[in-house]
Amino acid sequence: MEKALFSKRITCLDCKGGHIAKKQRNKRIYICGRNHNYKTCRRNKVFQDYLIELLSMRYNDIVSPEDLSSKVEYIEANEEKIVIYVIDNGKPIISMNDFAQF
Ligand SMILES: [Zn+2]
């Protein structure tokens, strides 16, 4: 099982609550904590592998997932959109269905 690399750094874009780390078929995922605990929000699932993929497009000289995750200040996410704020003050990394910024 992949270690949870983004715990406490993912916020739900819908409810502004924190995402929690879970696993799904041996994949590390993060879902909205309010969905998990109360079902008062959407699941807003994020795959850790996809976050690593997005980060490796920006930091293409870094290979290790741990080192890539260390570039992240925090992340906002829901089903439609992921925004990764990075620690080096670069523009955020954005992934949407019809738009991406790496
Ligand atoms: Zn939520």
Side-chain angles (χ1 to χ4, degrees), residues 6 50-60 62 65 68-72 75 84 86 93 102:
F6 301 98
Y50 186 56
L51 296 175
I52 294 297
E53 190 182 317
L54 290 171
L55 285 160
S56 65
M57 288 192 224
R58 168 75 59 90
Y59 302 103
N60 46 35
I62 302 177
L68 286 165
S69 72
S70 73
K71 294 290 186 182
V72 173
I75 296 169
I84 304 177
V86 293
I93 298 167
F102 300 114

Side-chain angles (χ1 to χ4, degrees), residues 6-19:
F6 301 98
S7 292
K8 303 196 192 305
R9 285 190 290 171
I10 305 181
T11 298
C12 177
L13 266 172
D14 293 351
C15 72
K16 313 300 178 199
H19 269 42

